[in-house]
Amino acid sequence: MLRFIPDVDRSMSSYPSRFTHRRALGWVAFIVTLLTCSYASASTDEDWKIAEQIVNQIQLPNIPNEKFVVDVSDTSLSAARAPIQRVIDKASASGGGIVVVPKGTWQVDGPIRLKSKVNLHLEEGATLLFSGDPSHYLPVVKTRWEGTEVFTYSPLIYALNVEDVAITGKGTIDGNAQSAFIGWYEKQNTDMHALRKMGFDGVPVEKRQFGEGHYLRPPLIQFFHAKRVLLEDYTALNSPFWVNHLVYTSHATVRRVKVESHLYNNDGLDIESSQFVLAEDNHFRTGDDGIVIKSGRDADGRNIGIPSTDIVARNNDLGGEDGIGLGSEMSGGIKRVFFENNVLHEGDSAYRFKSNLDRGGRVEMVRIRGSKVASFKHLFWFQLNYPSNLHGNFPATYTDIIIEDLTVENVGTVLEIHAPDAAPVNNVKFKDIKIKEAEEILILENTDDISFENVTIGEQIWNGTFSSLHIESVTR
């Protein structure tokens, strides 16, 4: 059964005049009301005051100004990891300071371990070119891989249990385009599914050992249990996996970082189970998400239970497969997230919200405004039927989301939502959005209270509240 109930004020300049419904799934109930009555304000000033309060509360690292310059006269800098690590260790032991890597290309034959009270500063023209030999990144370290804790290959730059730490300067961090890690994308499936099952089944993390003979790629940069972090000005290239990864990190600022990394799973910035994070004025060109918020996978993420909260991402220039994402690893929850004045170029999804029935978790109070969007296959995609092989029954909740004041060039689909029966996506508001061109308007499956206010699509203005059970498509 399919129902469409129009209620239109003909004084509107234009409104949807024709709907096409196709590919209905089973029993269908779909109700649309097009209204011009007054709405509650889609976003209050109080919401964005919270965003400013978050920014004002974020603490920068407290690092002494004393400089420790890596000695360029040391011929061993052709294998630079050991000399750089010695200077980092010395600076930390002496109370902290700025470790300066001078201009030049330095071969780094293994991971660099950042320590508290240290700013690793890359002078303009300095390049850290990391080894592409996976054996250089053993022994294994404790990390989180796609949302599940594990002992595996070290991130190329790794900061464990640190406070007051930074990476700054206009130099370059290069994961190496010839790295053997890159080919591991084709080999990882067995280990990936084994680790996910261990997390789902609650296997103790000490028994999750994925070292030699396994194929889990490490991120370029990872902070794991960190406080007061600054990432600023550098360029990141050729990451084996995720590029900048914050895990269990509080009070982090990521600004004016440039990413040019188009390999598999190259997210620009992954914010995972972290709080009080500001990402601003970054330039990301990536092989996957530009900026994505996460909080752990399945039972492992729920049991650890550390959400991502109090996050502001503003004035970023993003280009990749997806622009901004939440999930799919979001089992610890996400709350109070603000995206403002970002530019999103072309790709698959401008805004992508992901989960599946293994996850659980709750995502709420997400605010988006002021974006400029170019060309995407999907504008807003709630993909809560994300692939899973573990047959869980833990529906995730996505609610209290307000998206407003966007300008969009062209998209394939404006809004696509697929949610489980037990947890429809609800209370999502779209306001003051201008879309020049769209092929398809709505694909909705299990939604409640999805509202449009002054959403212009081509020459048509959409106002209304949408709820659905099992419907595939509504086009103009």
Side-chain angles (χ1 to χ4, degrees):
M1 180 176 65
L2 183 65
R3 291 189 291 165
F4 168 63
I5 304 174
D7 182 4
V8 180
D9 184 333
R10 300 292 175 139
S11 66
M12 295 175 61
S13 60
S14 60
Y15 54 88
S17 58
R18 179 173 61 86
F19 292 85
T20 301
H21 308 282
R22 51 188 168 84
R23 299 191 307 275
L25 303 177
W27 184 86
V28 178
F30 179 61
I31 302 172
V32 179
T33 305
L34 298 177
L35 303 171
T36 57
C37 59
S38 61
Y39 284 77
S41 176
S43 179
T44 66
D45 290 339
E46 294 303 315
D47 289 340
W48 290 97
K49 286 179 182 178
I50 292 172
E52 285 302 316
Q53 291 168 0
I54 290 168
V55 171
N56 292 336
Q57 289 180 69
I58 293 173
Q59 302 168 13
L60 289 169
N62 180 16
I63 300 173
N65 288 325
E66 184 177 359
K67 290 186 177 181
F68 298 79
V69 180
V70 179
D71 186 359
V72 294
S73 66
D74 188 339
T75 57
S76 68
L77 283 176
S78 59
R81 184 189 64 84
I84 293 172
Q85 192 65 57
R86 281 198 298 268
V87 179
I88 290 172
D89 295 346
K90 177 182 177 181
S92 181
S94 66
I98 303 170
V99 172
V100 179
V101 178
K103 182 178 179 179
T105 297
W106 312 116
Q107 306 287 329
V108 183
D109 56 343
I112 290 175
R113 305 285 177 87
L114 294 183
K115 295 193 174 182
S116 295
K117 294 286 187 178
V118 169
N119 175 1
L120 179 63
H121 182 80
L122 308 176
E123 288 190 339
E124 188 169 6
T127 296
L128 301 179
L129 178 60
F130 281 86
S131 165
D133 182 348
S135 69
H136 290 165
Y137 301 90
L138 294 174
V140 299
V141 299
K142 188 177 182 180
T143 180
R144 223 182 197 186
W145 197 89
E146 285 196 343
T148 304
E149 289 195 345
V150 62
F151 285 86
T152 189
Y153 288 82
S154 175
L156 280 57
I157 296 179
Y158 181 54
L160 171 67
N161 296 327
V162 294
E163 296 186 0
D164 300 301
V165 65
I167 303 173
T168 66
K170 294 185 177 180
T172 298
I173 301 168
D174 190 341
N176 195 332
Q178 306 305 315
S179 175
F181 282 129
I182 296 169
W184 285 13
Y185 177 80
E186 306 294 340
K187 302 178 180 181
Q188 71 182 16
N189 277 353
T190 298
D191 290 324
M192 177 178 71
H193 291 298
L195 176 61
R196 289 178 181 177
K197 191 171 190 310
M198 287 179 174
F200 191 85
D201 292 342
V203 173
V205 67
E206 292 78 11
K207 293 185 178 181
R208 306 174 199 170
Q209 298 285 331
F210 287 77
E212 187 174 359
H214 296 274
Y215 299 99
L216 300 181
R217 293 163 293 145
L220 187 71
I221 300 166
Q222 184 182 86
F223 290 80
F224 192 80
H225 290 287
K227 188 173 183 179
R228 293 184 297 276
V229 171
L230 173 64
L231 305 180
E232 183 178 71
D233 289 332
Y234 59 83
T235 296
L237 308 174
N238 301 314
S239 177
F241 189 53
W242 296 350
V243 183
N244 300 285
H245 188 194
L246 304 175
V247 190
Y248 312 135
T249 295
S250 63
H251 296 277
T253 300
V254 183
R255 64 191 178 201
R256 298 191 303 274
V257 171
K258 183 177 181 180
V259 173
E260 290 283 353
S261 197
H262 301 274
L263 301 171
Y264 299 114
N265 305 112
N266 278 189
D267 300 341
L269 173 62
D270 293 83
I271 303 168
E272 185 169 12
S273 294
S274 296
Q275 304 81 38
F276 290 99
V277 179
L278 171 64
E280 64 178 354
D281 301 318
N282 299 293
H283 179 100
F284 293 161
R285 297 293 182 270
T286 61
D288 209 327
D289 300 341
I291 297 174
V292 59
I293 315 299
K294 301 175 178 288
S295 63
R297 177 184 291 271
D298 305 342
D300 200 57
R302 294 193 300 272
N303 292 337
I304 292 169
I306 300 177
S308 282
T309 67
D310 302 295
I311 296 165
V312 176
R314 64 190 185 186
N315 305 321
N316 299 288
D317 191 305
L318 307 175
E321 180 185 11
D322 296 327
I324 289 171
L326 276 70
S328 66
E329 306 88 355
M330 39 59 67
S331 300
I334 297 171
K335 186 175 182 179
R336 291 189 300 276
V337 178
F338 299 85
F339 299 100
E340 184 176 23
N341 296 337
N342 297 292
V343 176
L344 287 74
H345 294 274
E346 62 183 24
D348 187 47
S349 303
Y351 294 92
R352 193 173 182 184
F353 308 85
K354 297 175 281 187
S355 184
N356 66 27
L357 284 175
D358 298 333
R359 298 290 187 268
R362 182 179 179 88
V363 177
E364 60 184 325
M365 196 175 182
V366 177
R367 302 290 183 262
I368 299 168
R369 74 175 183 184
S371 294
K372 294 181 179 179
V373 180
S375 178
F376 284 85
K377 183 178 178 181
H378 302 86
L379 181 54
F380 308 108
W381 189 8
F382 289 77
Q383 191 183 11
L384 309 192
N385 60 347
Y386 210 64
S388 167
N389 295 315
L390 296 172
H391 310 295
N393 190 23
F394 303 93
T397 299
Y398 275 76
T399 187
D400 188 14
I401 300 170
I402 300 175
I403 300 169
E404 62 182 331
D405 188 24
L406 274 62
T407 59
V408 183
E409 291 296 319
N410 63 83
V411 294
T413 303
V414 174
L415 175 61
E416 181 168 356
I417 300 177
H418 298 281
D421 294 345
V425 171
N426 71 91
N427 189 16
V428 183
K429 297 178 173 62
F430 300 87
K431 178 184 178 184
D432 297 333
I433 297 173
K434 295 182 180 180
I435 303 167
K436 287 186 178 180
E437 184 179 353
E439 296 178 11
E440 194 157 26
I441 311 304
L442 299 174
I443 302 174
L444 301 179
E445 181 183 4
N446 291 324
T447 66
D448 182 38
D449 190 18
I450 309 298
S451 67
F452 280 20
E453 180 183 353
N454 193 31
V455 176
T456 303
I457 304 172
E459 298 300 320
Q460 299 176 337
I461 299 174
W462 287 61
N463 291 304
T465 300
F466 304 80
S467 297
S468 76
L469 291 175
H470 300 300
I471 186 167
E472 277 281 328
S473 178
V474 179
T475 63
R476 290 182 293 171

